[in-house]
């Protein structure tokens, strides 16, 4: 069993009270009140601060469970779905006409007080502060040896570098806080975007030099992940400054990662052995039927997203950094309720009615293609994503557009990895047929179900993977990629293309396509082609907004981003709201309260807000 999954459980364990007598009772010597200087007395306390940083970063990668998070005060709900691309070209709202929860793509209605911008700003600075505290604490304790200290501080610098990389990508130039301080400051000034990128590079470069070659513990960062994000930071700096040497620096860093972490090209892991006659899990349609361990129609891309296959220690060479998901037993012991993957990522098609055209073709007792008394009331089919509604869903761009024509022949596009919902109502003459947009009253609600989010056959899951009667709503024990080397190859392709080396750009993007058994290989490339390929390979994983926002310099108009947003967001494309158009801004806004509280110095707002 993975030891790292137990680290968070004891993170907030309270310390024992110090005994006292009556004479000492009124003395103001609060031995149990911790300040920074007495909180760090041994190296394990510094590591506990690092563990908290892992938790913060993991939450910035999950698709947060908005609904159930409201019921767990310990969960600390974050609006982190914005990083994954909610409101951008790949991810939208719930696909229904009421887009209250998917309003990020209504660009004309957004303002600097929008909660997602504020929460993201705070979470990234919180992560940087945790890193600063760990580095401060590392100077207060005695270490067994220099290597132990170097590895702890390298992890801290990785987190700080990653936080400032995301801050620069999303907000441009921001204040840089490079050390721990207990004093509140109201005189912060914004560094330039290039200076913030350089600060992130310095941290990530130092981390890459001092971290171990491979994770010493599941979930820990190592050289591969540090060089991956270092490459991204170099590309961002080169894009911002026009300095092409930065693209060569990105190539050098990314090459280290792909050499250490080659792609998985053959079937592997828990469901790949034809001799395994065992079974595990609950079939969502036939709960009494065991689910075979061997997945006969599986492929290597499917294997990447199976429980037990995520970590490098499990034989997955492609794995760079993985958020560890505790099992139900771990969570129940520590009092937790949910994991960031869950009901917010489901297809909102379960309650859809037939369209007028198909209403007449179906029996009167068939209100919609997915209505079935045997499937509802606690037995919702995984074709629906495991539930009947959702807050975040994929757009037609990532579901259909990027797979059109010559791009259709690709294992990432097959029905195993990106499942089209089918008609489930046993009373319908169309039962078992793939649902088409003209069948339902709200076509935008029709979206494919990704195997990255839902295992359609329920393998490896038990009855704890449910809530409110909806199976598979809480994915206990299922890890989540924060980085894998397939993305590093796409960073390589981008760096070569920006440098002006088309041959190597094509070579690296086609390495990813070859693993996907794609029928078409690129012969020439544009930057927009790379955005399409990232959507094919990395939908649900990629931090799409940071990618789009860094695509041009802060003085540019970022036409590629605006093209994507004006053509492919859920409101613009799926719902036909062409009036929304592209945003007037190219960076997220600095939160209004941050500007207002900074009374000792001017903090200018980003253009367009």
């Amino acid at each position: 069993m993975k030891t790292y999954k137990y680290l968070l459980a004891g993170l907030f364990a309270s310390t024992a009270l110090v005994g006292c007598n009556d004479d000492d009772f009124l003395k103001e010597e609060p031995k149990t009140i911790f300040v920074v200087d007495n909180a760090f007395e041994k190296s394990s306390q510094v590591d506990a601060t690092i563990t908290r940083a892992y938790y913060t970063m993991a939450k910035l990668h999950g698709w947060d469970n908005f609904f159930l998070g409201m019921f767990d005060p310990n969960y600390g709900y974050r609006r982190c779905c914005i990083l994954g691309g909610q409101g951008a070209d790949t991810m939208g709202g719930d696909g229904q006409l009421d887009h209250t929860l998917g309003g990020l793509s209504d660009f004309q209605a957004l303002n600097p007080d929008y909660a997602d911008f504020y929460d993201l700003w705070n979470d990234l600075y919180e992560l940087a502060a945790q890193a600063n505290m760990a580095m401060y604490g590392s100077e207060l304790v005695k270490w067994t040896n220099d290597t132990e200290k170097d590895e702890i501080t390298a992890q801290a610098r990785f987190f700080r570098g990653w936080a400032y990389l995301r801050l620069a990508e999303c907000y441009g130039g921001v204040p840089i806080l490079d050390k721990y301080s207990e004093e509140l400051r109201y005189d912060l000034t914004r560094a330039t975007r290039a200076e913030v990128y350089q600060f992130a590079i310095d941290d990530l470069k130092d981390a890459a030099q001092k971290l171990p070659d491979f994770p010493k513990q599941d979930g820990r960062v190592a050289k591969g992940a540090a060089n991956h994000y270092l490459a991204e930071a170099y590309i961002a700096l080169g894009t911002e400054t026009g300095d092409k040497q930065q693209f060569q620096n990105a190539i050098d860093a990314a090459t280290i990662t792909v050499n250490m972490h080659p792609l998985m090209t053959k079937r592997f892991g828990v469901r790949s052995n034809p001799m395994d006659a065992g079974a595990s899990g609950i079939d969502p349609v036939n709960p009494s039927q065991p689910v075979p361990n061997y997945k006969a129609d599986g492929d290597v891309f499917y294997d990447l997203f199976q429980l037990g296959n995520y970590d490098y220690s499990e034989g997955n060479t492609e794995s760079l950094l993985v958020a560890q998901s505790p099992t139900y037993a771990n969570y129940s012991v520590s009092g937790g309720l949910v994991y960031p993957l869950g009901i917010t990522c489901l297809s909102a098609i379960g309650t859809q009615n037939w369209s007028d055209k198909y209403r007449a073709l179906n029996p009167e007792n068939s209100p919609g293609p997915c209505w079935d008394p045997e499937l509802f009331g606690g037995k919702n089919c995984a074709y629906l994503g495991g539930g009947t509604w959702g807050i975040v869903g994929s757009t037609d761009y990532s579901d259909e557009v990027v797979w059109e024509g010559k791009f259709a022949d690709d294992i990432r596009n097959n029905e195993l990895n990106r499942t089209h919902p089918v008609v489930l109502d046993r009373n319908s003459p169309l039962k078992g047929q793939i649902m088409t947009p003209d069948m339902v009253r709200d076509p935008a609600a029709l979206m494919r179900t990704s195997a990255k989010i839902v295992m359609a056959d329920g393998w490896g899951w038990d009855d704890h993977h449910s809530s409110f009667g909806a199976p598979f709503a809480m994915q206990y024990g299922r890890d989540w990629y924060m980085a894998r080397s397939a993305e590093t190859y796409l960073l390589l392709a981008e760096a070569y293309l920006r440098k002006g080396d088309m041959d190597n750009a094509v070579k690296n993007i086609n390495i990813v396509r070859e693993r996907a058994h794609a029928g078409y290989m690129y012969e020439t490339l544009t930057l927009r082609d790379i955005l399409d390929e990232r959507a094919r390979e990395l939908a649900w994983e990629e931090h799409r907004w940071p990618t789009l926002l860094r695509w041009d310099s802060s003085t540019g108009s970022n036409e590629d981003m605006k093209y994507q947003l004006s053509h492919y967001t859920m409101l613009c494309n799926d719902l036909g709201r062409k009036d929304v158009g592209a945003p007037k801004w190219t960076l997220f806004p600095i939160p209004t309260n941050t500007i207002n509280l900074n009374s000792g110095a001017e903090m200018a707002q980003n253009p367009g807000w």
Side-chain angles (χ1 to χ4, degrees), residues 202-220:
D202 292 341
D203 271 349
L204 292 167
K205 187 176 180 180
D206 182 80
Q209 292 170 348
K210 296 178 180 177
L211 287 167
D213 287 350
F214 300 102
K216 289 187 173 181
Q217 195 175 25
D218 291 338
R220 294 276 180 170

Side-chain angles (χ1 to χ4, degrees), residues 371-424:
W371 288 87
D372 191 311
E374 294 299 319
L375 296 176
F376 282 78
K379 300 179 184 177
N380 299 333
C381 179
Y383 276 111
L384 307 185
T388 60
W389 65 280
I391 292 174
V392 180
S394 49
T395 62
D396 284 350
Y397 166 72
S398 59
D399 276 348
E400 308 294 343
V401 173
V402 295
W403 307 107
E404 290 174 349
K406 59 190 177 186
F407 295 101
D409 182 15
D410 189 311
I411 63 173
R412 298 169 299 185
N413 185 43
N414 63 28
E415 288 299 316
L416 182 65
N417 291 312
R418 296 184 71 87
T419 304
H420 282 92
V422 300
V423 175
L424 299 174

Side-chain angles (χ1 to χ4, degrees), residues 50-72:
I50 290 293
T51 300
R52 181 66 188 180
Y54 277 104
Y55 180 67
T56 301
M57 187 170 176
K59 292 183 71 173
L60 282 163
H61 282 78
W63 290 87
D64 228 344
N65 195 319
F66 167 84
F67 188 64
L68 293 175
M70 293 188 298
F71 296 95
D72 181 5

Side-chain angles (χ1 to χ4, degrees), residues 505-531:
V506 168
K507 174 185 174 182
N508 279 280
I509 200 170
N510 283 341
I511 288 173
V512 177
R513 293 187 59 75
E514 286 167 2
R515 191 274 293 282
H517 300 189
Y520 169 76
M521 295 294 155
Y522 281 104
E523 296 178 356
T524 186
L525 271 181
T526 67
L527 286 171
R528 203 173 293 165
D529 290 329
I530 295 177
L531 287 176

